[in-house]
């Protein structure tokens, strides 16, 4: 106790005898508070006030096309519908021909734009398949590319127990397909000096996700690829944006009921298209060309940036995935007994 009193006395005397040190500490404290307030106001303004770039900059209502992968369900289908509503012709890309045809017809009936589709199984696509995709894009004035197709694990699982075909499919779809589709579409954008590329990512790419290790790594890859590509093509008036996404109601997430933190695809996509070019919740996070546009996702992302300590969030995610796996296994066991 005496040592503590002596230490306090020493600190007090130091401040008394050295006003320069005191002034410096006060200045640093003031600067930190002002910086925090400024950053928070910027983030809130981007979430709730400031508009993003107009889609007209990328050819909306000017005969341009939008290419959307994974376009027959969930977020992908919603991107196709909202881009059609904004005035783009739509090229739908996915595996299921029947669903592609239905979605294309729905778009033409609702929005009176041209809509075509191309069927490709990205998990099994070879050179011939990508040549076919390139042929479908040929001659089109493509203003927007949405790299939405993705695959996650069937349920949380330790990496050592993950089926090898699941590992291969996730990497092939989430990484290679994004590269090959972008590689096909980008040259025409560079030639026209105009374009928008949206790479749909995940919080799992920012916070390592135990029991989803392969999926998490594939989304981290998407973050880095987007940042590097964005810097390359900035001179060509092309915007590349990594769309950081928390849970959205969809088949991929296996979530059916919305909450303030888990929206339906429609409001999520509206937020993305209304905030193009703004980092929103990813501002000040050190992730160039990343945006977290949906309001509650943005607030969560910003809070995570302020708190730091990814190991804390990683531990929480691990516990969450253990619980999800336990419940999924119990459900599978019940269904097996019924069968």
């Amino acid at each position: 106790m005496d040592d503590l009193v002596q230490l306090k006395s020493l600190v007090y005397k130091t401040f008394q005898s050295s006003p320069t040190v005191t002034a410096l500490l006060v200045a640093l404290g003031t600067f930190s508070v002002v910086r925090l307030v400024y950053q928070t106001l910027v983030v809130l303004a981007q979430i709730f006030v400031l508009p993003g770039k107009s889609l007209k900059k990328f050819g909306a209502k000017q005969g341009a096309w939008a290419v959307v992968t994974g376009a027959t369900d969930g977020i992908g289908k919603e991107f196709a519908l909202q881009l059609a509503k904004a005035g783009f012709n739509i090229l739908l890309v996915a595996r299921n021909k029947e669903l592609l045809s239905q979605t294309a017809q729905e778009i033409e009936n609702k929005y009176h734009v041209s809509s075509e589709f191309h069927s490709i199984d990205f998990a099994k696509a070879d050179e011939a398949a990508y040549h076919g995709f390139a042929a479908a894009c040929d001659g089109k004035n493509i203003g927007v590319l949405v790299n939405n197709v993705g695959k996650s694990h069937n349920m949380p699982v330790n990496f050592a127990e993950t089926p090898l075909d699941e590992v291969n499919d996730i990497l092939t779809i989430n990484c290679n397909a994004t590269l090959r589709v972008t590689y096909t579409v980008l040259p025409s954008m560079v030639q026209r000096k105009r374009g928008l590329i949206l790479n749909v990512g995940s919080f799992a790419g920012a916070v390592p996700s135990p029991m989803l290790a392969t999926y998490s790594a594939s989304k981290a890859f998407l973050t880095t690829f987007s940042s590097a590509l964005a810097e390359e093509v900035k001179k060509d008036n092309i915007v590349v944006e990594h769309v950081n996404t928390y849970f959205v109601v969809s088949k991929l997430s296996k979530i059916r009921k919305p909450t303030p933190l888990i929206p339906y695809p429609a409001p999520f996509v509206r937020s993305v298209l209304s905030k193009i070019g703004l980092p929103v919740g990813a501002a000040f996070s050190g992730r160039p060309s990343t945006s977290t546009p949906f309001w509650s996702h943005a607030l969560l992302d910003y809070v995570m940036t302020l708190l730091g300590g990814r190991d804390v969030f990683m531990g929480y995610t691990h516990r969450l995935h253990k619980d999800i796996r336990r419940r999924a296994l119990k459900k599978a066991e019940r269904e097996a007994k019924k069968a």
Side-chain angles (χ1 to χ4, degrees):
M1 186 68 179
D2 290 340
D3 290 342
L4 181 59
V5 172
Q6 290 177 3
L7 179 61
K8 288 181 177 179
S9 177
L10 178 62
V11 171
Y12 179 71
K13 288 179 180 178
T14 300
F15 283 163
Q16 273 191 324
S17 61
S18 181
T20 302
V21 173
T22 304
L24 180 60
L25 290 175
V26 170
L28 287 173
T30 302
F31 173 75
S32 297
V33 171
V34 170
R35 183 177 66 174
L36 175 61
V37 171
Y38 166 75
Q39 290 180 348
T40 301
L41 289 175
V42 168
V43 169
L44 291 176
Q46 291 181 349
I47 294 173
F48 298 111
V49 180
L50 298 177
K53 294 180 182 294
S54 169
L55 290 174
K56 290 183 179 179
K57 292 181 180 292
F58 309 106
K61 298 182 180 179
Q62 300 167 42
W65 287 75
V67 177
V68 184
T69 66
T72 55
D73 188 67
I75 292 174
K77 181 177 180 179
E78 194 59 44
F79 266 115
L81 291 171
Q82 293 196 28
L83 286 167
K85 184 178 181 180
F88 287 95
N89 300 314
I90 306 295
L91 175 59
L92 305 162
V93 185
R95 181 178 56 180
N96 190 308
K97 288 184 179 180
E98 183 177 352
L99 291 177
L100 282 167
S101 178
Q102 291 174 4
T103 304
Q105 193 63 52
E106 180 182 352
I107 287 171
E108 291 191 354
N109 291 340
K110 277 187 177 180
Y111 303 114
H112 308 292
V113 296
S114 297
S115 181
E116 298 179 9
F117 64 86
H118 181 76
S119 174
I120 182 172
D121 185 347
F122 285 114
K124 301 175 182 177
D126 55 13
E127 288 302 315
Y130 280 109
H131 285 315
F133 169 70
C137 295
D138 190 43
K140 291 181 171 62
N141 175 5
I142 297 174
V144 177
L145 168 62
V146 182
N147 281 311
N148 167 74
V149 68
K151 179 179 173 63
S152 186
H153 299 268
N154 292 326
M155 69 174 74
V157 58
N158 290 324
F159 179 73
E161 302 165 16
T162 309
L164 188 57
D165 61 342
E166 186 170 277
V167 171
N168 289 334
D169 282 356
I170 290 171
L171 294 178
T172 300
I173 294 171
N174 295 2
C175 300
N176 192 56
T178 296
L179 292 177
R180 292 301 302 267
V181 168
T182 304
Y183 190 79
T184 299
V185 171
L186 182 60
S188 65
M189 290 183 171
V190 171
Q191 186 177 17
R192 294 187 181 93
K193 302 298 180 185
R194 180 182 72 182
L196 170 65
I197 298 175
L198 298 174
N199 296 325
V200 179
S202 168
F203 269 58
V207 178
S209 300
M211 303 184 77
L212 295 181
T214 305
Y215 175 77
S216 183
S218 73
K219 291 302 182 179
F221 160 85
L222 199 61
T223 306
T224 302
F225 171 65
S226 300
S227 297
L229 183 63
E231 182 64 22
E232 288 181 13
V233 300
K234 184 166 58 176
K235 68 183 188 307
D236 299 308
N237 201 32
I238 297 170
V239 175
V240 179
E241 193 164 281
H242 166 245
V243 182
N244 191 38
T245 311
Y246 194 61
F247 291 116
V248 175
V249 174
S250 68
K251 287 183 180 178
L252 182 66
S253 69
K254 298 181 176 64
I255 297 174
R256 298 180 179 180
K257 295 182 179 180
T259 69
L261 200 58
I262 306 174
Y264 280 120
F268 173 78
V269 171
R270 275 197 299 272
S271 72
V272 175
L273 297 180
S274 67
K275 298 293 182 177
I276 298 298
L278 295 176
V280 199
F284 312 106
S285 69
R287 288 170 287 162
S289 302
T290 289
S291 176
T292 311
F294 188 73
W295 70 271
S296 59
H297 297 180
L299 292 174
L300 176 60
D301 193 3
Y302 181 55
V303 169
M304 290 171 64
T305 298
L306 291 178
L307 296 178
R310 290 199 301 174
D311 54 335
V312 175
F313 298 107
M314 188 166 62
Y316 166 77
T317 302
H318 194 184
R319 292 189 295 274
L320 175 66
H321 289 164
K322 284 180 179 178
D323 184 58
I324 292 173
R325 179 171 177 81
R326 178 184 56 78
R327 288 186 280 113
L329 289 173
K330 282 188 176 181
K331 180 180 178 181
E333 185 179 348
R334 289 194 302 269
E335 291 176 348
K337 286 181 179 179
K338 290 180 181 178

